[in-house]
Amino acid sequence: MISIIINSFNEQKTIERAIDAIISQNIKEDYELIISTPDSETLNIAKLYQDKNKRIKIFRDPGKGKSYAINLLLPKLKGDICIFTDGDVYLSENAINEVLKEFDDKTVGCVTGRPAPIETRDNQYGFWAHFLFDAAHNLRKKLSENSKFLECSGYLEAFRNGIIKEFPLDVGEDTIIPHIFWDKGYKIGYAQNALVFVKNVDNWNDWVKQKTRTTKSHEIIKRHVNHKQFPRMKTFLNEAKGLSYLFTYPKSLREYYWMSKLILARVYMWTKVFYETRFVNKHYHDNWERVESTK
């Protein structure tokens, strides 16, 4: 049996799509599907599904953040494999089976899927989303093929049950959980055919807000792991090393222009993160924080 969990917060506009994308799949294992959310609107929609499908369960979390909710859920999950996704994204056909396939290797403890933007690349923010997701895919694919450590995506991640009892709340769950499994001698799998479709931001304020928060969630990992043993994926230096890809990815003069703006935007974002974490003591905290243009 496996446990599939959709973590959600005020996702009444998108939760049906997220649920439908899972229950429509021909999943090879028996499973339970848990909808975890603190708000009544999303819960009411989940209850309508529960009335028709006995596999579906509801967990009303206290609204203190995704990591907090997952820690509460861990002792309640019945599956040998636990698969986590979000209420504002949706999975590709057969994504669950593609994730499970990675666990056929008993040395694999944790698996990540592949995020993909739903936007086209014919506008600035759509282009930025395609580039950043494709760059992350290329890096994960390379690391996986060489049996090296890689971080997961919180949009779709899975791990063996019973290994983790709880994890810290001051760092993103998609960052710390792979470290815990790697430290216990497990490999991290990459299910590149398990796509999870994501709506991305479409304005500057939301872009800065989202990227600053996610980057801060990676920065704090140094409190918990030795980076000489666990090299980080998301660092300013790693991005700087990928300069050649920056100039081979664009396909037109317009895309080269957008790429030049992305470089400046990333420098601004990293500067903001450095200033706020080193001088203002504004670090990542686990809580539900909506970015409206992604909904």
Side-chain angles (χ1 to χ4, degrees), residues 18 26 30 60 70 90 96-97 100 114 170 174 187 196 200 239 243:
N26 184 22
D30 187 23
R60 184 160 200 161
I70 293 176
Y90 63 100
I96 299 296
N97 287 337
L100 294 177
R114 177 183 175 180
D170 61 350
D174 52 347
K187 296 177 184 177
V196 51
N200 292 274
E239 291 194 8
L243 285 176

Side-chain angles (χ1 to χ4, degrees), residues 26-233:
N26 184 22
I27 299 173
K28 67 179 184 179
E29 302 284 347
D30 187 23
Y31 69 92
E32 60 176 355
L33 174 58
I34 300 171
I35 316 300
S36 173
T37 184
D39 64 280
S40 298
E41 293 82 359
T42 307
L43 280 172
N44 289 336
I45 295 173
K47 287 177 181 177
L48 296 177
Y49 279 86
Q50 186 182 41
D51 292 341
K52 301 175 184 178
N53 191 326
K54 292 185 291 186
R55 298 178 189 270
I56 295 178
K57 301 176 182 178
I58 294 173
F59 177 72
R60 184 160 200 161
D61 70 65
K64 295 184 178 181
K66 181 178 179 180
S67 293
Y68 192 93
I70 293 176
N71 270 324
L72 292 178
L73 275 169
L74 284 177
K76 305 176 185 294
L77 302 178
K78 298 179 179 179
D80 298 319
I81 303 295
C82 304
I83 301 176
F84 293 85
T85 186
D86 295 335
D88 57 350
V89 302
Y90 63 100
L91 306 186
S92 64
E93 184 179 352
N94 209 42
I96 299 296
N97 287 337
E98 290 292 334
V99 169
L100 294 177
K101 195 184 301 180
E102 293 293 313
F103 288 103
D104 289 342
D105 182 347
K106 301 303 181 184
T107 66
V108 170
C110 189
V111 173
T112 184
R114 177 183 175 180
I118 65 172
E119 296 84 5
T120 61
R121 53 187 281 173
D122 62 358
N123 63 82
Q124 175 179 297
Y125 290 100
F127 173 78
W128 286 9
H130 275 266
F131 171 76
L132 293 172
F133 280 176
D134 285 347
H137 161 65
N138 290 336
L139 179 56
R140 286 192 177 103
K141 186 172 184 291
K142 180 180 179 181
L143 293 172
S144 176
E145 289 173 347
N146 290 281
S147 298
K148 292 185 177 180
F149 174 78
L150 62 129
E151 292 180 359
C152 291
S153 166
Y155 293 126
L156 177 57
E157 61 181 327
F159 51 82
R160 296 188 186 277
N161 199 2
I163 309 298
I164 297 179
K165 303 301 181 184
E166 62 179 0
F167 57 90
L169 301 180
D170 61 350
V171 60
E173 84 290 342
D174 52 347
T175 302
I176 189 62
I177 289 175
H179 282 94
I180 295 173
F181 275 92
W182 188 267
D183 189 46
K184 292 180 179 294
Y186 288 96
K187 296 177 184 177
I188 312 301
Y190 181 35
Q192 60 178 309
N193 293 321
L195 301 182
V196 51
F197 296 105
V198 182
K199 184 181 186 300
N200 292 274
V201 300
D202 60 11
N203 65 82
W204 173 247
N205 288 336
D206 280 356
W207 190 90
V208 173
K209 178 181 178 181
Q210 182 188 64
K211 301 306 178 187
T212 300
R213 174 176 165 78
T214 56
T215 301
K216 283 182 179 180
S217 76
H218 287 75
E219 283 292 290
I220 211 72
I221 190 67
K222 60 189 177 184
R223 292 183 180 177
H224 304 285
V225 301
N226 180 354
H227 282 303
K228 292 181 179 179
Q229 183 180 2
F230 300 102
R232 290 164 54 197
M233 283 180 60

